[in-house]
Amino acid sequence: MTRYRDFHRRSIDAPAEFWRAEATRIHWETPFHTVLDASRPPFTRWFVGGRTNLCHNALDRHLATRGQQDALVSVSTETGIERRFTYAELYDEVNRMAAVMRSLGVARGERVLIYLPMIPEAVFAVLACARLGAIHSVVFGGFAAASLAARIDDAKPALIVTADAGARGGKVIDYTPLVDEALARAEHKTARVLLIDRQLAPERLSASYLVAYEPLREQYFNAHVPCEWLESNESSYVLYTSGTTGRPKGVQRDVGGYAVALAASMEYIFEGRAGDTMFTASDIGWVVGHSYIIYAPLIAGLTTVLYEGTPVRPDGGIWWRLVEQHKINLMFTSPTALRVLKKQDPALMKAADLSSLRALFLAGEPLDEPTAAWIQDALGKPVVDNYWQTETGWPIIAIQRGVEALPPKLGSPGVPVYGYNLAIRDAGSGERCGPGEKGVVTLGYPLPPGCMTTVWGDDKRFVDTYWSEMAGEPVYSTFDWGIQDDDGYVSILGRTDDVINVASHRFGTREIEEALSSHAAVAEVAVVGVADAVKGQVPLAFVVLRDAQAAAAPDDRSKLEAALLATVDRYLGAVGRPARVHFVAMLPKTRSGKLLRRAIAALAEGRDPGDLPTIEDPAALQILRSVLEGG
Ligand code: AMP
């Protein structure tokens, strides 16, 4: 462990020295004059004065040496289309997209909202923004109109880029009606919507603001758009994530620190080398997609595989066949996807030649021991669990095989990553916990490069949400419970707040509650996350109706349940849909009116809710019990 320990210690004791050396991994148009500015805690500025560009580092820099190497391989098992782009071709496409965006008024510092399925144009759009110095905000295609509208109002984009449709599991999902509805709901009026027409959905280009991409791409076919050299601490993107309120937070990221952190992570954590092929089966709408589908592999000179589809169509062997066909060296997915694959015929995995694969990375949710043991055994390659958050942009806890290949321990993603001054602290006193003691996973100031710089447009929210003073120092809370053992391995024990994790997708229970409350029949609602064998957790809703009689008959009940679920689909998107809606006469609350969510979750999971001295009316628990027993 010495090598890892020394490496980690150096990164904490002398961060400026440590990161100065790492910064040589990227191109700086103008060198920085200060590595670390920690003069205004909890804010941090990395590589102050340096000017660089993420698109230059992802593309231009590689043209001379690997122009003819594939940069992007896009596979859609939904449309059956495969498209490949060398670095030179991707560079051309990104320049075209940048020229089109520029012609539509996109300039440095302006926001572009990207609402696209997993198609190459999504990568073009992200990199085109980076090239122009515009700030992208990618919204996951599974989100529906109200979620989209909230993000439009917060980011105030100059342009929205969308497509006619996405596709999942053989079902076409029309995007333009959702964008139409979102724009009608939003107060901010976005002047233009750039449309990528995949010809999947019928013509719905009714709205006057829609601009077709294809003719403009032709017009700017030979365009070259110079990179805007941004100061390292300017913003590269805003990515919304759920918290405990119904209002998502815009996680804001810098340019230089992010590029350096990702480049370093490719060596120390992912062991990805230029020329390798990496398949990250996530979505560009999530942070894993931003970092490990788009930026990190390209910055490091790899070929990245973009995949539209599910892991089980046309059959459960598709991902393993992709490994064989594209000689994939590194694969990155979520435990939920593995639990789905585990149910497939083992022959499908055995049939594929997986010799190119060096390691499988997993993140986004806790990795349960049976799944970990299964995949380790079935694959016979290193399986590297890694723990992080949208806020940090890259792993916080992992076995850093590029530093030292420490033995993995089941139930733990590993040890703190260099740069992160991780401590498990008592939730009340803020004191450090001893080995084996449960506490909150916290990070010391300053956070390493690549982490969020603030909440978009709301410094106060950044400070108030994440930071508190513990033992006289500013401390960042991850909102996760954890335990660290004698060897420094950390286990993650779930969230301290009301955020739930459904198939690696993060939701605030408040968001789902707000969606349900928008239905006229609903008086009160509580949403909790309960354990699920495949998705990790699923949301379960408990609703008190304005008119209790409305759900008296079983038929009425199921109609109302369907109507409420449809409301969630429309408001938030089907990804946030509760597994069930239970109708109850009252909800357990404290005497001051706070919902006792943990007690509700415990009952729903068949556990004892424990002592509840502050409960207003214990009868509420009995009501829940009988409803749950009744199915
Ligand atoms: P997100 O910001 O959507 O990536 O969600 C981050 C949250 O997912 C973390 O705060 C954890 O609760 C959970 N999480 C992510 N990765 C892991 C992991 N490897 N093990 C356990 N929990 C994880």
Side-chain angles (χ1 to χ4, degrees), residues 241 287 363-366 385-391 478 480 492 495 501 506:
T241 190
V287 70
E365 58 181 306
D385 184 8
N386 53 112
Y387 158 87
W388 46 298
Q389 318 180 295
T390 307
E391 286 84 345
T478 61
D480 281 302
I492 300 296
R495 297 280 302 194
N501 196 320
R506 173 166 159 187

Side-chain angles (χ1 to χ4, degrees), residues 500 502 507 509 511-513 515-516 525-528 530 535 538-543 561 564-569 572-582:
I500 61 172
V502 183
F507 289 99
T509 45
E511 287 173 273
I512 305 172
E513 285 171 4
L516 288 164
V525 54
V527 170
V528 295
V530 296
K535 295 179 175 178
V538 288
L540 215 56
F542 295 87
V543 166
E561 180 173 6
L564 289 176
L565 294 177
T567 306
V568 176
D569 287 2
L572 195 64
V575 283
R577 187 192 298 167
R580 278 296 311 266
V581 179
H582 292 293

Side-chain angles (χ1 to χ4, degrees), residues 205-384:
L205 313 184
S206 56
S208 56
Y209 43 71
L210 281 171
V211 180
Y213 178 61
E214 198 47 42
L216 285 174
R217 176 178 172 273
E218 288 300 316
Q219 194 179 324
Y220 291 100
F221 200 79
N222 297 314
H224 283 281
V225 177
C227 284
E228 280 283 331
W229 298 111
L230 303 177
E231 200 277 335
S232 177
N233 296 280
E234 285 183 58
S235 298
S236 56
Y237 68 75
V238 176
L239 176 58
Y240 288 88
T241 190
S242 301
T244 41
T245 67
R247 200 163 54 95
K249 290 182 285 276
V251 167
Q252 183 177 324
R253 192 97 61 215
D254 68 358
V255 177
Y258 186 50
V260 170
L262 292 184
S265 75
M266 286 307 281
E267 172 163 345
Y268 299 130
I269 302 171
F270 296 92
E271 293 187 285
R273 296 184 279 272
D276 281 348
T277 298
M278 181 164 189
F279 170 31
T280 299
S282 175
D283 190 282
I284 47 139
W286 307 114
V287 70
V288 173
H290 281 61
S291 293
Y292 295 102
I293 295 175
I294 303 179
Y295 285 119
L298 295 177
I299 289 172
L302 280 75
T303 303
T304 187
V305 177
L306 181 79
Y307 178 75
E308 181 185 52
T310 72
V312 291
R313 256 178 57 104
D315 62 60
I318 178 65
W319 283 7
W320 310 122
R321 288 200 296 280
L322 286 181
V323 171
E324 175 178 322
Q325 279 163 22
H326 299 283
K327 303 206 169 24
I328 288 165
N329 308 108
L330 311 168
M331 192 169 158
F332 191 169
T333 186
S334 67
T336 290
L338 281 192
R339 286 190 293 266
V340 169
L341 290 174
K342 193 171 144 196
K343 292 185 171 171
Q344 307 298 309
D345 180 355
L348 289 165
M349 189 176 178
K350 288 215 177 71
D353 174 2
L354 304 180
S355 56
S356 60
L357 195 66
R358 294 203 303 267
L360 172 69
F361 298 87
L362 297 170
E365 58 181 306
L367 172 63
D368 57 288
E369 294 190 14
T371 306
W374 165 73
I375 189 67
Q376 191 82 65
D377 195 43
L379 210 56
K381 318 251 175 176
V383 174
V384 184

Side-chain angles (χ1 to χ4, degrees), residues 354-524:
L354 304 180
S355 56
S356 60
L357 195 66
R358 294 203 303 267
L360 172 69
F361 298 87
L362 297 170
E365 58 181 306
L367 172 63
D368 57 288
E369 294 190 14
T371 306
W374 165 73
I375 189 67
Q376 191 82 65
D377 195 43
L379 210 56
K381 318 251 175 176
V383 174
V384 184
D385 184 8
N386 53 112
Y387 158 87
W388 46 298
Q389 318 180 295
T390 307
E391 286 84 345
T392 64
W394 61 288
I396 304 171
I397 302 172
I399 300 289
Q400 299 134 67
R401 295 175 48 83
V403 178
E404 185 178 352
L406 298 176
K409 288 192 188 182
L410 278 182
S412 162
V415 291
V417 169
Y418 56 90
Y420 291 97
N421 191 2
L422 184 147
I424 310 289
R425 290 177 187 269
D426 182 85
S429 69
E431 295 298 326
R432 279 172 179 258
C433 297
E437 278 171 27
K438 176 177 168 178
V440 182
V441 180
T442 66
L443 307 173
Y445 177 80
L447 296 180
C451 292
M452 80 187 289
T453 49
T454 187
V455 170
W456 173 253
D458 201 343
D459 284 353
K460 186 172 179 311
R461 196 170 176 203
F462 172 63
V463 178
D464 293 350
T465 305
Y466 295 102
W467 294 90
S468 49
E469 187 139 316
M470 292 186 186
E473 294 165 41
V475 168
Y476 170 95
S477 173
T478 61
F479 297 100
D480 281 302
W481 295 112
I483 281 189
Q484 197 164 21
D485 73 8
D486 285 323
D487 298 327
Y489 285 67
V490 181
S491 300
I492 300 296
L493 307 170
R495 297 280 302 194
T496 65
D497 58 8
D498 292 322
V499 165
I500 61 172
N501 196 320
V502 183
S504 259
H505 301 339
R506 173 166 159 187
F507 289 99
T509 45
R510 285 284 317 150
E511 287 173 273
I512 305 172
E513 285 171 4
E514 279 181 19
L516 288 164
S517 302
S518 70
H519 194 283
V522 174
E524 276 185 282

